[in-house]
Amino acid sequence: MRRRQGTARGRQARARPATAIMSSAAPPLGDATARPPPRDRLSALPDGVLHRVLRFLDARRAAGDLSLLSRRWRRLWATSPYASLSDDGHYSTSSGDALLLLRGVARSLLWLRLDAAAAMEEDPAAFAHQRLWVRHALGRGLRVLQIFLRFDAAFQLPDGVFNSPTLEEITLSGISDDEVIAPETISLPRLKKLHLGSVRLADASVAEKLNAGCPALEHLSLSLSTLGSFKISSQTLKTLSFLDCRYEGIHVSVPSICSLRLTVSGNVQLDGMPSLVSAWVYVYPDGVKHLARGGYDLVAALANVEQLELLGFDTIIQDTVERSADEGLRFNKLRSLVIGEVQVNDFYRPLAYFLRFAPNLASLILDEAALEKWHFCETQEYWNVTDHAFGEKNHSGELKLVSALPRGLERLRIRFLKDKDDDEIEIESHKMLGLLKEKAKPKVMVVVWLQVSKWHY
């Protein structure tokens, strides 16, 4: 009796797997109604990931077009901490009001980008809606504010922009310097990055307020702007950039700076920079006359740099050598040097100077084309320099250049600027390249020819 029961139980146990297999078997291939619907993998992503995707779209498009995809996307824009609005003629300002002002009260707005364009320059109400959007965003814990202006019209930043406890980054860029920065007070305790392009500072007090009101500032960038007399003093600043600015004088006192970009067109005073790692300096043709001790103070401020790029530095070096022949500087940390001059034989003086005091130099780039875009901004100076560039070669200068190069450079790169109608320059330059390779013996040597016409511009 027991044996029969055991046998029956075994039969049932052996039958169960077969039943399970039958129940889990896939439906027949011809039965289309039994197939599961395709998954929408994009909509299945977390809100945080989708918000970052929407960040690169105009907020009005995200609320309108994308809402047709599925229910998942209909209110997604309202929960995003990012908003981008542009005046491209496709949307009304009222739609921007609805998108920003009608969001949930509890929703924070961390990042706002505005591409703002005034309909009429003389319109007193230009940018009125956009200023309202900025004020609203500042009350929602805004951290990043980016405003890009089009047409010659002043935006007139609300005072709250310069007195925000939450802002960490501000970018204001336009096509002219009609935007005047003149805040009564500045209190930005968390601001780390400030980028100002094509603006005008009302007076020297703006710089003083920035120094006092931005205790955490790490990156400051000023371009195509009118600065007047500007003194920046900061213990926290790491990156500083003055590009194509108009100014009476600049005084920089930032001992912790690591990266510097500077165009010298006015009086420049640089205090000690012991932490400087990389520097890019372009000296306008008459820039040396603005320096208090000629070029020596400027060169001395760069003494600790590891990566150095110099444009139009020939006059600075010549002046430095004449004024301070006995004040030898050392560039013991310098590993990479880029020098941009008008033509290759003009490299001799700045190159010989730095090679004399840079025993650890490993990479050297000589670039004839580096000055082109900068001289194009100053038409008369561009033609003077360009006429000289395509004039007669100074062969003695080329021989001095060859003798100045050290042996065993790890990398040597030369970029020539060649008139496409003049083959003589290329022939002479090839002779010099042969001498360079024979005398300097660099481990890697790269030569680039850039053909342009003298009348290209």
Side-chain angles (χ1 to χ4, degrees):
M1 187 69 178
R2 293 179 179 176
R3 291 181 180 176
R4 293 178 179 176
Q5 291 177 354
T7 302
R9 291 176 181 173
R11 292 173 181 171
Q12 294 176 0
R14 287 192 295 271
R16 286 174 185 168
T19 305
I21 292 174
M22 290 296 293
S23 62
S24 60
L29 294 177
D31 189 1
T33 59
R35 292 180 182 176
R39 294 178 57 191
D40 181 358
R41 294 185 177 182
L42 182 61
S43 296
L45 292 173
D47 284 0
V49 176
L50 295 179
H51 287 159
R52 296 184 71 85
V53 173
L54 296 181
R55 176 179 176 176
F56 300 98
L57 298 177
D58 186 276
R60 287 165 286 200
R61 182 178 181 184
D65 300 345
L66 295 183
S67 64
L68 303 176
L69 292 178
S70 67
R71 293 181 180 179
R72 173 84 162 81
W73 291 82
R74 288 182 183 178
R75 295 289 299 171
L76 190 62
W77 63 270
T79 61
S80 174
Y82 311 107
S84 178
L85 294 167
S86 62
D87 291 331
D88 55 6
H90 293 89
Y91 305 100
S92 64
T93 53
S94 60
S95 63
D97 292 344
L99 286 168
L100 286 183
L101 307 183
L102 300 181
R103 293 163 58 96
V105 177
R107 299 294 179 184
S108 60
L109 185 61
L110 305 181
W111 183 90
L112 176 63
R113 174 189 170 111
L114 296 179
D115 286 303
M120 297 179 61
E121 296 180 15
E122 64 274 10
D123 184 4
F127 302 125
H129 285 271
Q130 290 89 337
R131 285 194 293 271
L132 180 62
W133 299 343
V134 172
R135 293 191 188 98
H136 177 76
L138 290 171
R140 297 295 183 89
L142 191 66
R143 295 181 185 177
V144 178
L145 174 62
Q146 298 178 350
I147 301 177
F148 299 91
L149 305 177
R150 288 178 288 162
F151 302 110
D152 295 338
F155 188 89
Q156 297 179 354
L157 286 172
D159 291 337
V161 171
F162 298 101
N163 292 274
S164 169
T166 60
L167 273 177
E168 299 176 2
E169 179 179 342
I170 299 175
T171 297
L172 175 63
S173 180
I175 63 171
S176 70
D177 60 359
D178 288 342
E179 185 64 29
V180 179
I181 306 297
E184 295 184 3
T185 60
I186 295 180
S187 178
L188 298 165
R190 297 180 61 179
L191 189 70
K192 293 183 178 181
K193 297 181 179 180
L194 177 60
H195 309 276
L196 299 177
S198 299
V199 301
R200 179 159 46 95
L201 303 189
D203 51 52
S205 67
V206 177
E208 298 174 2
K209 294 171 184 176
L210 285 174
N211 294 331
C214 304
L217 190 63
E218 296 181 359
H219 306 275
L220 176 60
S221 174
L222 301 166
S223 62
L224 299 168
S225 298
T226 303
L227 308 179
S229 181
F230 191 96
K231 179 179 180 180
I232 181 69
S233 178
S234 171
Q235 298 294 323
T236 59
L237 203 62
K238 305 293 184 184
T239 301
L240 179 61
S241 177
F242 293 97
L243 292 182
D244 269 0
C245 291
R246 295 180 294 275
Y247 52 84
E248 297 173 6
I250 293 177
H251 184 183
V252 176
S253 180
V254 284
S256 299
I257 189 173
C258 298
S259 176
L260 173 68
R261 293 178 63 85
L262 173 67
T263 52
V264 179
S265 60
N267 295 323
V268 175
Q269 180 179 345
L270 304 178
D271 292 348
M273 301 178 178
S275 301
L276 191 63
V277 175
S278 63
W280 179 98
V281 181
Y282 167 55
V283 181
Y284 283 7
D286 60 346
V288 66
K289 70 182 183 181
H290 299 295
L291 303 175
R293 295 185 62 196
Y296 181 79
D297 286 346
L298 179 58
V299 174
L302 307 174
N304 293 302
V305 75
E306 298 178 14
Q307 302 172 5
L308 183 58
E309 186 168 352
L310 305 173
L311 278 64
F313 228 71
D314 181 69
T315 55
I316 292 290
I317 295 301
Q318 182 179 1
D319 182 85
T320 301
V321 173
E322 292 174 355
R323 289 174 178 256
S324 56
D326 299 328
E327 300 181 68
L329 296 172
R330 291 292 181 270
F331 298 85
N332 294 326
K333 297 181 180 180
L334 187 61
R335 297 285 296 169
S336 175
L337 176 63
V338 180
I339 297 181
E341 295 292 346
V342 177
Q343 60 184 41
V344 72
N345 57 313
D346 291 332
F347 291 130
Y348 168 67
R349 274 189 295 264
L351 178 61
Y353 182 87
F354 281 97
L355 292 180
R356 180 183 176 188
F357 303 115
N360 298 311
L361 188 67
S363 175
L364 176 63
I365 299 177
L366 308 178
D367 194 346
E368 285 188 348
L371 289 173
E372 273 219 322
K373 67 176 182 179
W374 300 99
H375 285 302
F376 178 63
C377 297
E378 305 164 34
T379 306
Q380 186 59 45
E381 292 175 0
Y382 174 78
W383 290 122
N384 291 341
V385 172
T386 305
D387 288 342
H388 172 62
F390 293 116
E392 295 183 0
K393 284 284 185 178
N394 183 344
H395 302 295
S396 62
E398 294 174 359
L399 294 176
K400 290 180 180 180
L401 175 66
V402 173
S403 63
L405 282 174
R407 280 180 169 266
L409 274 175
E410 293 182 8
R411 185 172 185 267
L412 173 62
R413 185 177 188 270
I414 301 178
R415 186 161 74 152
F416 287 107
L417 187 64
K418 174 186 175 295
D419 184 354
K420 66 180 181 179
D421 299 323
D422 190 351
D423 295 329
E424 183 180 354
I425 293 178
E426 185 173 353
I427 294 173
E428 295 296 330
S429 298
H430 275 298
K431 295 179 182 179
M432 187 201 66
L433 289 174
L435 290 174
L436 286 175
K437 191 172 184 179
E438 178 183 352
K439 300 294 184 181
K441 298 186 182 301
K443 296 179 181 179
V444 178
M445 183 170 175
V446 180
V447 179
V448 179
W449 290 92
L450 180 62
Q451 289 191 347
V452 296
S453 171
K454 175 179 176 180
W455 310 109
H456 176 70
Y457 292 102

